[in-house]
Amino acid sequence: MNVKKQFKEGLITQNPVLVQLLGMCSTMAITTTLFNGIGMGISVTVILTCCNIVISLLRKVIPSKIRIAAYVVVIAGFVTIVDLLIQAYLPDLSSSLGVFIPLIVVNCIILGRAEAFSSKNGVAASALDGIFQGIGYTWVLVVMSVVREFLGSGSFGGGILNGGAGIQIFPSEYGAMLLVLPFGGFLMLGSLIALVQWALRRSEEKKNQEVAK
Amino acid sequence: MDLTQIFSIALGAILVENFILVQFLGICPFMGVSKKMDTATGMGLAVTFVMGLASIFCWLVNEYLLVPLGLEYLQTLAYILVIASLVQFVEMFLQKSMPALYEALGIYLPLITTNCAVLGVALLNTQNGYNFIESVVYGITGGLGFMLAIVLFASVRERLEYAEYPKAFEGFPVALVSAGLIGLGFVGFRGLKIW
């Protein structure tokens, strides 16, 4: 078990959204305010970690032919629990995320990690994998929502700070509305992935140069 | 049954609230299978079919099984099981009757199970309180909207092969940005309302 390597993979080199390109629906749809981003990120992290633990525990019991169906049932169970908890304790979050909470069931990140990692590794490693991948997903959501919210409507921390209104940095009529509109999500995520590809390529080139020396 | 109501649901699902470009449901297959025109069309047809069927069966399950028994909280679980078995059925059907399409869709066919658009349409039907006919119309036209978007996108993407863009944007980012620009076109439908 290699905690440091898993940490780095989850956050950057194997980031679920930016590198593995999983779970893009929710990434683009709900990142309009910081509150949504953090709420969704934490929900997915919790569900991912729980699912990874349970699937890793059951990995020798589940026959490989029906494994996908079994994973989906486990995931749907945890999603229902989290959905009901959010409805009970955070009704605001529940109404702003709407249908995207039950849709975590079909979020490819969770099924992808179940198939690629927790069905082959031990419980502790799978739990860590869930936490780190979840954090990797969360930071992307937070970055996306902060940028979109700031450039789109000129505020920061909508839904959390300042009694839910957020801190207004510049008047909202000067904001670039296009970033808050749905297709702004495509543009934003495209640029973010391009940035990461550029950075990863550069660090690789540097490594190669050092090896050549 | 009010015909204008149905027409406005259909128009909404195809243009104003397009599943992919406005509601962000079903992005994975949209990105994954849109490299070629013919596979994109096949995927669009398969998704339309499954979305229509899913709307029918999920509505029936909800109305006659979950609500009478007071089990609405198991909705997500029940729907995903219904969808998974539907996809399995469609897969077997295609394998027997249309092997060429089956081959072309490859891995993306089982992946329809995890297509957010399919589960999304079932959940939205329940959330919006649609009756049986409205649900079916919403499901099928939602699928047609998906097909419209994926076919448009595939034809743009075929041309991207010859386009020049910064190296960092290679592969996925450029596809996302062009999808965003198509989405910009769909914003134009926003003000569209019937009566």
Side-chain angles (χ1 to χ4, degrees):
Chain A
M1 204 168 89
N2 192 336
V3 179
K4 214 172 145 192
K5 183 171 155 258
Q6 277 188 321
F7 181 73
K8 203 178 152 197
E9 274 185 1
L11 262 67
I12 302 165
T13 52
Q14 284 294 319
N15 185 289
V17 184
L18 299 176
V19 181
Q20 300 182 56
L21 307 168
L22 298 172
M24 284 176 297
C25 305
S26 52
T27 312
M28 288 188 270
I30 54 96
T31 50
T32 45
T33 63
L34 186 61
F35 183 52
N36 284 356
I38 292 179
M40 188 73 182
I42 292 175
S43 321
V44 169
T45 309
V46 169
I47 294 170
L48 183 55
T49 311
C50 296
C51 288
N52 264 358
I53 291 172
V54 171
I55 290 170
S56 168
L57 281 173
L58 294 175
R59 70 186 187 279
K60 285 177 186 135
V61 187
I62 299 174
S64 70
K65 268 189 182 160
I66 56 154
R67 65 183 190 286
I68 301 287
Y71 297 162
V72 168
V73 173
V74 171
I75 297 168
F78 280 112
V79 171
T80 308
I81 295 171
V82 170
D83 187 16
L84 293 176
L85 284 175
I86 292 178
Q87 274 179 27
Y89 293 105
L90 292 166
D92 287 345
L93 186 65
S94 168
S95 66
S96 72
L97 292 180
V99 77
F100 281 95
I101 295 180
L103 281 180
I104 297 177
V105 179
V106 288
N107 190 321
C108 330
I109 295 175
I110 298 173
L111 202 59
R113 289 325 284 178
E115 176 77 9
F117 197 91
S118 56
S119 60
K120 297 183 190 113
N121 290 284
V123 179
S126 302
L128 279 178
D129 180 71
I131 295 171
F132 293 148
Q133 293 280 333
I135 295 173
Y137 176 75
T138 310
W139 83 253
V140 174
L141 286 190
V142 169
V143 168
M144 292 259 304
S145 37
V146 167
V147 173
R148 282 178 79 182
E149 196 191 339
F150 175 67
L151 293 179
S153 51
S155 59
F156 175 76
I160 308 175
L161 302 170
N162 201 6
I167 299 167
Q168 202 69 28
I169 297 170
F170 61 84
S172 62
E173 60 262 36
Y174 297 121
M177 265 305 283
L178 76 94
L179 278 174
V180 185
L181 290 176
F183 69 92
F186 283 108
L187 299 182
M188 179 69 210
L189 187 61
S191 318
L192 202 59
I193 294 177
L195 191 72
V196 168
Q197 279 190 356
W198 176 79
L200 284 179
R201 188 174 295 158
R202 253 191 87 158
S203 75
E204 212 159 274
E205 274 168 12
K206 231 182 216 170
K207 246 182 225 163
N208 287 344
Q209 274 175 3
E210 272 165 23
V211 171
K213 271 177 198 169
Chain B
M1 200 53 243
D2 201 354
L3 210 63
T4 47
Q5 173 87 17
I6 291 196
F7 187 62
S8 79
I9 288 178
L11 197 68
I14 297 179
L15 296 176
V16 188
E17 288 178 351
N18 187 286
F19 266 84
I20 295 179
L21 296 167
V22 182
Q23 302 200 44
F24 291 114
L25 297 170
I27 305 281
C28 302
F30 178 65
M31 290 292 165
V33 214
S34 56
K35 283 202 182 103
K36 276 196 193 139
M37 198 67 175
D38 38 352
T39 42
T41 319
M43 186 69 185
L45 282 173
V47 168
T48 310
F49 188 58
V50 175
M51 275 171 82
L53 282 181
S55 304
I56 297 175
F57 284 102
C58 290
W59 191 87
L60 291 176
V61 165
N62 187 45
E63 190 71 15
Y64 293 110
L65 205 66
L66 297 183
V67 173
L69 297 175
L71 290 174
E72 286 100 332
Y73 61 90
L74 286 181
Q75 221 172 48
T76 318
L77 192 62
Y79 286 2
I80 192 77
L81 287 178
V82 169
I83 291 166
S85 36
L86 271 177
V87 171
Q88 193 75 49
F89 165 75
V90 171
E91 199 180 336
M92 288 182 330
F93 174 76
L94 282 183
Q95 200 175 7
K96 277 267 157 62
S97 59
M98 290 180 236
L101 185 60
Y102 177 78
E103 289 290 315
L105 291 177
I107 176 139
Y108 286 97
L109 200 57
L111 281 186
I112 295 181
T113 314
T114 56
N115 183 340
C116 333
V118 180
L119 184 59
V121 82
L123 290 168
L124 285 173
N125 277 334
T126 318
Q127 219 171 62
N128 296 345
Y130 285 155
N131 64 27
F132 184 67
I133 298 174
E134 285 168 340
S135 300
V136 176
V137 170
Y138 192 59
I140 293 174
T141 50
L144 290 177
F146 179 93
M147 193 161 137
L148 175 70
I150 199 171
V151 167
L152 281 178
F153 187 54
S155 52
V156 171
R157 228 174 153 177
E158 282 182 351
R159 287 174 193 222
L160 273 182
E161 300 268 311
Y162 307 105
E164 278 181 30
Y165 41 81
K167 212 178 170 195
F169 275 85
E170 217 160 68
F172 234 74
V174 74
L176 277 173
V177 170
S178 23
L181 294 178
I182 299 177
L184 178 62
F186 275 76
V187 176
F189 293 119
R190 264 201 160 181
L192 211 60
K193 245 189 203 154
I194 309 166
W195 298 280

